[in-house]
Structures are given as C-alpha cells and as structure tokens.
C-alpha cells in the first residue's frame, strides 16, 4: 500500500472523507480481559502498537495506521480496556492495570518488542510501558501526551465533597441502568465537536460511529466505560511524572501541535521540560491542536518516518522474538 | 453499633480469622478474590471497589439509625476505610497497620510501582484465570496506591470522625513517626500499639475504645 492510497481528504471544504478500514480485527484474551485489536499491513513485519487516548478507541488511527504500515510495519491499534470493544473496567484507578494489559499484550500476543505510537492519555501509557518494561519497547512516539499541567495534580480543596461526588457517580453508574442515551450517532458526533472544536465533521462522525453502540432503550451510548472516570484518592505529582518519564531509555519522538486546543494545556516551557525528561526529539506540526495525527496525518507520518529512519535503519528486519 | 471490618488485601483466609474473633453481629465479608467470594470481573484489585462495598453494607445493615457505625480497615484496606470515612459513610473509623510505610522519594516510589507491575506480569497465577474461591494470587500484590507525607496530611485531614489507629509488629510505619502522623487526622485520634497482630486483641481494643468526638 502506498501513502496515497491511505490519504484522506480533509472534509473542512466538503471534500469526501476517506479512511482505510483495518485489514484485520480480532479479540484477544489478555490479563483477564478481552482486548480488541485492529491491524494494518504485513503481519510478519516489525510491529508498531498504537495507543489511543482516554475515551477514544483504536479506530482513531484509521488514517495514521495505514500510513505507518506503508513504512514497512505491522500497525496494531488496540481498544484499551474500558474503551471500544474491549472488556470493562471496575474503576478509573486503572493506570497500573492498563500498563499490565499492554505489557502482556506485547509479550504474550504480539510476541516481540514493539514500536509505540501513542496519543494523549495513551502517551502516558506508552511511557509507563517503556519505563516499566524496557525490553518490550523499541521506540516510542508520543503525540501530545506529556501529561497534564502541574495544577491538574492538585488535590481538591474539599476532599470530602469530592469523595461523596465520586460515590454518588459510582452508584448512579452501577444501579441506574439509564445511562445517557443519545438519539443518534450524529448527535454524539456533534457533542464531540462541541468538546473538541478543532475536530472536523468527518472525524467527529468517525469517532462517534466507532465509539458508540445501541443502548437498552433503543438509543445510542458511548462504548467507553463510565467507571473509567472514577477513582480513589492517591498521590501523584509532577515529580513522579518526571521520574516516570526519565525512566524511558528507548528513543522517543514527541509530536505536538502549535494551536490552542481542548486538552492541550501545557505551556511551551512545560512542554520543553518534559521533552527533556524523555530525552526526546520534538517535532511541532504547525496548524494542529491536540489531535495532531487527525489534523495533519501526512506531517505526522513524515515526522515518524524521519525518526524511525534515524533510530531503526532496517524496519523490516527489526528484532523478532528470540 | 454497626461494625464493618475490611480484612487486608491478600489475607490468605479472607475474613475468616476476624470472624472467629469478633462478635457475631460485626459484618466481616470475604472481599472479592478472598475466601468464599470470587474475584472481581476484571480480575484486578483496587480500593474503590472495597469502599463501595463498605458503603453499601453500612447503608443496608445499619441496624439502628441512631447507633454509631464503625468502619475498620486492615493493612491495605485501611486506606479504603479512610476513604469511606472521609466520604461520610461511618461515624468512626479504625485502621490497623494503616499509617503507611516510610515515605519514599519519587525515584523509589516509581521503582516500587514498576517492581509491582513486573512482579504481577511474571506470575502466571496472577494473570491467568482467577480461582473460583480462596485467595486469588493477584490480590497478594497490593493496590499500587502511591502516598506521600503531603498527601497523607491533606487526605487524613479530611477525616474528622474519631480514629483509632492500631499498630502491630506487622506495621511498616517507622515507630518514631507514628505519634506525629496521627496528628494529621482531622478529628480525635487514638494510637494503640499491640505486641502482636492478634485478631482477638484487635477486636478487644476496638470494643474498649470510647472515642470522644
């Protein structure tokens, strides 16, 4: 496949929105759950694992993944646990759990070390995977996933109220079967666009279509498990984030946009500091926001190509299981 | 008085030892993945599920709306009990070996976190299908909750119910820090140090406790 075959047309100007369906789809049993995998390219080629962000799903890579496959890789996007078609989660206290899912997926299913392309929350997961299991990651590309700004780690002023709110949400999710149902996928897409104004109508529709399913009352509900948004009080701060990022020893490329956007909260100084913790190459793609790879997939894959050309000269013969 | 006791995560006999020592009207479940209770559906353990279980149990089984409710958390589940207390689920709270261990610097904290994940990944029994009863090996690895002195001060400060902190030889809290740490709670606190982790002695201590609000 060539890049041209995979190239979508921007739909901001009413052009057709064309994405390449995955070549393969499968469900695998890993770490006591089921994970949905989407595959593009030659399965015998060196694998690249693509990790989506919170509340998204693997089909967000329907544009970038075939382009990565065209570089000579087997691109594998997954639905994280609690997302898409993968198994549920009991809580949002799932950071370690998702690290484990990824590690066991790579070790036991993929069977060899992977390159990783990860977006947003998935970037944090990729960093954790590479830090905790360095033998499983050849290189890492983080797309606007360097973690939240320092003030996001602050404990709430009213801890008691936060815990009560969390408890009420838990009960509502577990005991009230009437999750919000949307009348149509189009309404869900409109909601996504309201959240992320930079998303094109085509992408908002695509993300909503593959991120939703029929609800019990005939409408549509998001596939993402609402329990994912819950948690218990625990400690985390920028010092721990820095330590996690410093643990990554494989080559790292950070790709960020240039535009203000939802969930793009770091100052340039904070971004630079974190790039330093990762000892990463850094590419800024002009004219893009948080979803760099959706807004400018060609520039994104060009950055990835330049990076892997430098760190992995012969992709097709990248190390296989020993 | 309604008492709900949350045994330690990874207790080989679940709540059995505590049930044998406690009055029959105490509520001491086998938590998921322990004793007669199957593992959670996701096969992974986190304190939030235990907090929810405690909250629902207290709400359902409080025999008398005017009677005091006590939540007891042992070891890893001391944190769950304190989360419940901070959420207003009980009138008083008892933690057994629940004052956290030595504070770690970020490097040691991440070391410990990654070591835990790697240990689980290396244990086929902890990642394969859980047993239908008895101790799930996965439960032996802890919750992976990170803490710090700053976090404990802030979080415990939100617990304004009376707290009884019982420390046994199994505690990992430095002995010379315990008196300081219990001052971080938002309400009246009593520290009791026992010579052994003996369920009957802990139960006796709780029964003898007369908290002052």
């Amino acid at each position: 496949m060539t890049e041209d075959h995979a190239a979508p047309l921007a739909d901001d100007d009413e052009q057709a929105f064309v994405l390449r369906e995955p070549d393969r789809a499968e469900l695998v049993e890993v770490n006591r759950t089921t994970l949905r995998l989407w595959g593009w390219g030659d399965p015998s080629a060196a694998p690249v694992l693509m990790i989506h962000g919170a509340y998204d799903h693997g089909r967000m890579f329907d544009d970038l993944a075939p382009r990565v496959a065209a570089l000579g890789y087997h691109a594998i996007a997954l639905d994280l646990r609690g997302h898409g078609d993968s198994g549920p989660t009991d809580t949002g206290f799932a950071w370690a759990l998702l690290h484990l899912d990824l590690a066991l997926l790579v070790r036991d299913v993929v069977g060899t070390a992977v390159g990783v392309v990860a977006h947003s929350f998935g970037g944090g997961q990729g960093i954790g995977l590479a830090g905790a299991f360095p033998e499983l990651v050849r290189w890492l590309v983080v797309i606007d996933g360097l973690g939240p700004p320092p003030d996001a780690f602050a404990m709430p002023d009213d801890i008691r109220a936060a815990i009560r709110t969390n408890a009420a949400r838990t009960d509502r999710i577990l005991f009230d079967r009437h999750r919000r149902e949307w009348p149509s996928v189009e309404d869900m897409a409109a909601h996504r666009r309201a959240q992320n104004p930079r998303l094109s109508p085509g992408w908002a529709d695509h993300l909503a279509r593959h991120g939703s399913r029929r609800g019990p009352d005939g409408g549509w509900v998001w596939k993402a498990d609402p329990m994912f948004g819950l948690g218990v009080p625990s400690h985390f701060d920028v010092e721990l984030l820095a330590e996690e990022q410093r643990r990554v020893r494989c080559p790292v490329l950070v790709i960020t946009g240039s535009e203000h956007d939802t969930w793009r909260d770091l100052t340039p100084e904070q971004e630079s500091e974190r790039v330093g913790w990762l000892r990463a190459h850094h590419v800024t793609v002009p004219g893009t926001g948080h979803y760099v790879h959706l807004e400018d997939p060609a520039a994104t894959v060009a950055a990835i190509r330049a990076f892997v050309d430098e760190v992995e000269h012969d992709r097709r013969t990248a190390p296989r299981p020993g | 008085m309604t008492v709900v006791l949350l045994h330690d995560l990874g207790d080989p006999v679940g709540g059995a030892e505590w049930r044998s020592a406690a009055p029959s009207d105490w509520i001491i479940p086998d938590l998921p993945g322990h004793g007669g209770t199957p593992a959670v559906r996701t096969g992974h353990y986190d304190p939030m599920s235990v907090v929810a279980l405690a909250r629902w149990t207290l709400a359902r089984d409080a025999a008398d709306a005017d009677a005091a409710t006590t939540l007891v958390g042992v070891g890893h589940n001391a944190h769950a009990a304190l989360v419940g207390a901070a959420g207003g689920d009980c009138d008083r709270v008892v933690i057994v070996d629940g004052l956290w261990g030595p504070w770690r610097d970020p490097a040691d904290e991440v070391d410990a976190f990654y070591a835990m994940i790697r240990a689980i990944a290396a244990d086929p029994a902890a990642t394969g299908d859980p047993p239908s009863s008895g101790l799930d090996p996965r439960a032996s690895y802890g919750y992976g909750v990170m803490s710090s002195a700053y976090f404990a001060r802030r979080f415990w400060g939100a617990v304004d119910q009376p707290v009884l902190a019982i420390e046994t030889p199994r505690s990992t809290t430095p002995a010379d820090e315990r008196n300081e740490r219990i001052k971080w709670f938002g309400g009246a606190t009593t520290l009791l140090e026992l010579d052994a982790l003996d369920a009957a002695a802990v139960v006796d201590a709780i029964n003898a406790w007369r908290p002052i609000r």
Side-chain angles (χ1 to χ4, degrees):
Chain A
M1 190 193 68
T2 68
E3 278 192 51
D4 287 340
H5 289 135
L9 299 172
D11 57 352
D12 289 334
D13 55 0
E14 305 299 321
Q15 290 179 290
F17 186 72
V18 180
L19 298 172
R20 179 172 151 188
E21 290 281 317
D23 300 333
R24 286 167 298 283
E26 61 181 320
L27 295 168
V28 296
E29 298 300 313
V30 170
N31 195 23
R32 300 177 165 183
T33 194
T34 302
L35 296 180
R36 164 68 84 185
L37 304 183
W38 312 100
W40 293 260
D42 177 0
S44 68
V48 173
L49 185 66
M50 311 188 80
I51 310 171
H52 63 80
Y55 300 103
D56 271 313
H57 48 76
R59 297 301 297 273
M60 75 163 346
F61 293 110
D62 275 11
D63 194 333
L64 185 63
R67 295 170 186 264
V68 169
L71 298 178
Y73 290 114
H74 177 208
I76 306 162
L78 85 153
D79 294 343
L80 289 168
R81 185 195 293 246
H83 296 74
D85 299 336
S86 291
T89 180
D90 281 330
T91 77
F93 188 73
W95 193 245
L97 176 61
L98 298 182
H99 285 5
L100 267 169
D101 286 351
L102 294 171
L104 298 180
L105 172 67
V106 174
R107 187 189 73 186
D108 298 341
V109 177
V110 178
T112 187
V114 295
V116 173
V117 175
H119 175 243
S120 193
F121 172 90
Q125 284 296 315
I127 288 167
L129 176 67
F133 298 89
E135 71 278 15
L136 298 180
V137 180
R138 304 193 312 273
W139 47 261
L140 171 65
V141 175
V142 176
I143 304 172
D144 203 13
L146 295 172
D151 57 4
F153 296 116
M155 294 177 73
D157 290 336
D158 189 339
I159 293 171
R160 286 191 288 255
I163 290 173
R164 285 194 297 270
T165 299
N166 196 71
R169 286 184 62 197
T170 302
D171 290 353
R172 199 162 57 241
I173 292 167
L174 292 179
F175 298 132
D176 179 1
R177 67 183 288 270
H178 293 288
R179 267 177 81 178
R180 178 176 182 178
E181 293 201 11
W182 299 74
S184 70
V185 173
E186 289 73 24
D187 288 307
M188 301 171 97
H191 176 71
R192 275 304 296 257
R193 283 206 86 196
Q195 278 188 309
N196 308 109
R198 294 188 61 86
L199 275 183
S200 70
W203 267 115
D205 178 72
H206 184 79
L207 294 174
R209 187 153 40 89
H210 292 287
S212 61
R213 58 177 166 76
R214 282 284 185 189
D217 296 327
W220 296 85
V221 296
W222 295 107
K223 286 179 179 176
D225 192 330
M227 294 299 284
F228 186 72
L230 303 172
V232 291
S234 65
H235 176 65
F236 201 79
D237 60 17
V238 171
E239 285 72 31
L240 286 164
L241 181 77
E243 192 59 37
E244 287 190 349
Q245 298 195 353
R246 291 189 184 108
R247 297 301 171 98
V248 178
R249 296 294 175 193
C250 67
V252 182
L253 168 66
V254 171
I255 302 175
T256 54
S258 62
E259 305 302 308
H260 177 72
D261 196 5
T262 314
W263 304 321
R264 185 169 149 62
D265 308 317
L266 298 181
T267 65
E269 293 74 24
Q270 290 164 344
E271 206 165 77
S272 294
E273 182 178 43
R274 295 180 190 190
V275 168
W277 294 339
L278 287 163
R279 295 171 294 276
H281 304 256
H282 184 197
V283 172
T284 301
V285 177
T288 64
H290 182 58
Y291 292 88
V292 183
H293 55 306
L294 310 192
E295 292 196 57
D296 195 340
T300 303
V301 80
I304 294 172
R305 188 210 305 255
F307 170 67
V308 296
D309 280 349
E310 183 178 333
V311 303
E312 191 166 65
H313 304 291
D314 190 350
R315 307 186 263 287
R316 292 185 182 279
T317 56
R320 299 297 299 173
Chain B
M1 182 174 75
T2 298
V3 179
V4 173
L5 186 146
L6 308 169
H7 64 73
D8 198 2
L9 180 71
D11 189 317
V13 295
E17 184 180 356
W18 294 103
R19 286 193 292 272
S20 69
S24 59
D25 59 350
W26 285 25
I27 301 162
I28 307 175
D30 286 338
L31 296 172
H34 299 75
T37 304
V40 291
R41 61 180 179 162
T42 58
H44 189 73
Y45 296 91
D46 69 88
M48 200 183 100
S49 305
V50 177
V51 175
L53 180 69
R55 179 161 45 83
W56 301 332
T57 305
L58 284 164
R60 185 197 66 185
D61 289 343
D64 178 345
D66 295 328
T69 54
T70 301
L71 188 53
V72 183
V74 181
H76 293 91
N77 282 322
H79 186 54
L82 292 170
V83 173
D89 297 337
C90 59
D91 298 307
R92 50 191 213 175
V93 61
V94 179
I95 54 173
V96 181
D97 297 334
L99 293 172
W100 297 102
W103 305 124
R104 300 176 176 130
D105 65 26
D108 290 340
E109 192 76 59
V110 173
D111 275 344
F113 183 61
Y114 284 177
M116 180 200 77
I117 298 171
R118 290 189 67 90
I120 297 172
D123 181 355
T127 57
D129 289 340
S132 56
S133 65
L135 178 64
D136 179 356
R138 179 80 159 248
S140 302
Y141 290 95
Y143 289 130
V145 176
M146 293 184 180
S147 187
S148 69
Y150 170 77
F151 169 78
R153 282 177 190 271
R154 285 287 327 275
F155 173 56
W156 292 351
V159 178
D160 61 0
Q161 298 95 325
V163 174
L164 172 61
I166 299 175
E167 292 284 286
T168 79
R170 195 176 292 180
S171 169
T172 58
T173 311
D176 60 351
E177 295 183 22
R178 294 171 185 173
N179 277 305
E180 177 63 23
R181 291 190 189 187
I182 63 166
K183 296 175 185 169
W184 298 347
F185 288 97
T189 310
T190 304
L191 173 66
L192 178 65
E193 294 178 294
L194 299 178
D195 293 335
L197 177 54
D198 174 69
V202 170
V203 168
D204 287 346
I206 295 171
N207 278 328
W209 181 40
R210 295 289 176 267
I212 302 169
R213 284 203 73 116

